Amino acid sequence: MEVDYGENEGSSSEEEETESSSVSEEGDSSEMDDEDCERRRMECLDEMSNLEKQFTDLKDQLYKERLSQVDAKLQEVIAGKAPEYLEPLAALQENMQIRTKVAGIYRELCLESVKNKYECEIQASRQHCESEKLLLYDTVQSELEEKIRRLEEDRHSIDITSELWNDELQSRKKRKDPFSPDKKKPVVVSGPYIVYMLQDLDILEDWTTIRKAMATLGPHRVKPEPPVKLEKHLHSARSEEGRLYYDGEWYGRGQTICIDKKDECPTSAIITTINHDEVWFKRPDGSKSKLYISQLQKGKYSIKHNHN
């Protein structure tokens, strides 16, 4: 029993030694792992710093290369040799030429339009002047014809002999010479022989008034005289209720007519207004003119419907 106990003790001591040895080996291995990790960490840090340095160097080198490329391209642009500059420049020059050509054509058209407007204004002014001259001529002619008619009426309504006028002139001459021995002759008028005690001018005025009254109250006593011949109307033209009647045809506002004048080319126009004695119309160029109905009656102008 004792022997067995001793063997058991020996076996237990061996086990303790093996355990202690295993623990020491484990401690040594852990120390070696820490050193290795530290060494590896330092190596990684060195390698990382080297990589960072290389990256920085490469970045600086790339910046310098790009900067030199940009400077070279800028010099080419300044010299006018860069294709990136020449292609857009050619497109801009072509666009400039096109726009310059269009502007020149537009300028010519504007000048031509202004010239046409100027010529139209000149033509309208001349036509207006001619129309006003014709109107003035017709007005003066009518006034003169009216005066001639009144003078003819007065001449035929007053029957005074030429001796009355001669006596009047002689009496005025004698008044200038107060020492003249001649006596005043009586005034002789048509009718019974009467010696008037009035002045010659008073007699003349009274006799004129009497003869006018007699012509008014008794027209059968006065010999009729042919009327003054007026200018005959070659065409029939008149205005009625805003319409124009000319040579059997009626014309109204808004109708297109053809105006013809002697020694001039016919022109087309649109009637805008019809008054009592004139007709306003609008030409194709936009100018307005007028015709007097008296001009149509005398044949100075002629109109007709334009069916084109």
Side-chain angles (χ1 to χ4, degrees):
M1 291 295 291
E2 290 177 358
V3 174
D4 295 332
Y5 180 74
E7 293 177 354
N8 292 332
E9 287 181 355
S11 60
S12 62
S13 60
E14 290 177 357
E15 292 177 357
E16 290 177 358
E17 289 177 359
T18 54
E19 290 179 359
S20 61
S21 62
S22 62
V23 170
S24 61
E25 289 177 356
E26 290 178 357
D28 294 336
S29 62
S30 62
E31 291 177 358
M32 292 177 64
D33 292 337
D34 292 337
E35 293 176 357
D36 190 16
C37 288
E38 184 67 21
R39 182 178 57 79
R40 289 183 179 179
R41 189 175 68 82
M42 295 302 294
E43 291 177 354
C44 291
L45 290 174
D46 294 337
E47 187 176 359
M48 185 179 297
S49 61
N50 291 331
L51 291 174
E52 289 180 354
K53 184 178 180 182
Q54 292 177 2
F55 177 75
T56 304
D57 295 338
L58 291 174
K59 185 171 68 173
D60 293 339
Q61 184 179 359
L62 180 62
Y63 170 74
K64 292 178 181 179
E65 290 179 357
R66 294 294 297 275
L67 184 61
S68 63
Q69 291 177 359
V70 171
D71 291 337
K73 189 66 67 177
L74 181 61
Q75 294 298 326
E76 290 181 357
V77 171
I78 294 173
K81 298 180 180 180
E84 294 86 354
Y85 169 75
L86 294 176
E87 292 179 0
L89 180 62
L92 288 174
Q93 289 179 349
E94 183 179 0
N95 190 15
M96 181 189 68
Q97 292 177 358
I98 294 173
R99 295 185 65 180
T100 303
K101 186 176 180 180
V102 171
I105 296 172
Y106 180 71
R107 175 178 174 273
E108 294 296 331
L109 291 176
C110 290
L111 290 175
E112 186 177 359
S113 177
V114 171
K115 184 178 179 181
N116 292 333
K117 288 182 179 179
Y118 170 75
E119 292 177 355
C120 291
E121 290 293 335
I122 293 295
Q123 185 178 2
S125 299
R126 289 176 179 173
Q127 291 178 354
H128 181 71
C129 180
E130 292 295 330
S131 300
E132 292 297 329
K133 286 171 63 178
L134 291 174
L135 177 61
L136 179 61
Y137 175 79
D138 293 338
T139 304
V140 173
Q141 184 180 9
S142 300
E143 291 178 356
L144 291 176
E145 290 175 354
E146 182 66 20
K147 289 181 180 179
I148 292 172
R149 185 182 63 81
R150 291 179 180 177
L151 289 174
E152 290 290 336
E153 290 179 356
D154 292 340
R155 184 173 68 86
H156 293 294
S157 62
I158 302 174
D159 187 13
I160 302 176
T161 61
S162 59
E163 186 177 358
L164 177 62
W165 299 101
N166 294 331
D167 292 341
E168 176 67 19
L169 294 175
Q170 291 176 2
S171 63
R172 291 181 180 178
K173 292 179 181 179
K174 290 179 180 179
R175 288 174 186 173
K176 295 180 181 178
D177 188 5
F179 301 100
S180 178
D182 296 337
K183 296 183 179 179
K184 181 179 178 181
K185 295 182 180 180
V187 179
V188 180
V189 296
S190 62
Y193 181 80
I194 302 174
V195 178
Y196 295 95
M197 301 303 294
L198 300 175
Q199 297 293 330
D200 294 342
L201 293 176
D202 297 335
I203 296 171
L204 181 62
E205 290 179 358
D206 294 341
W207 184 249
T208 302
T209 304
I210 293 171
R211 295 297 296 174
K212 284 185 177 181
M214 291 176 63
T216 303
L217 299 176
H220 58 279
R221 297 181 180 180
V222 181
K223 296 180 180 179
E225 295 290 337
V228 179
K229 294 183 179 180
L230 301 177
E231 186 176 358
K232 295 182 179 179
H233 293 162
L234 302 178
H235 300 273
S236 175
R238 65 180 184 273
S239 63
E240 293 183 3
E241 298 179 356
R243 295 192 304 166
L244 174 65
Y245 177 81
Y246 177 74
D247 285 351
E249 294 186 359
W250 288 95
Y251 300 84
R253 292 178 56 188
Q255 291 184 349
T256 303
I257 59 174
C258 182
I259 304 172
D260 189 9
K261 184 182 179 182
K262 295 180 180 179
D263 301 330
E264 290 186 6
C265 296
T267 58
S268 61
I270 300 176
I271 298 175
T272 58
T273 306
I274 299 176
N275 296 329
H276 178 68
D277 56 351
E278 61 188 11
V279 179
W280 285 87
F281 57 89
K282 184 178 182 182
R283 298 181 181 273
D285 57 5
S287 61
K288 292 185 177 181
S289 301
K290 62 181 177 180
L291 279 177
Y292 295 98
I293 296 179
S294 60
Q295 296 175 346
L296 295 175
Q297 293 174 348
K298 296 175 182 179
K300 296 180 179 179
Y301 288 89
S302 62
I303 63 174
K304 62 182 179 179
H305 287 288
N306 190 356
H307 301 289
N308 294 335

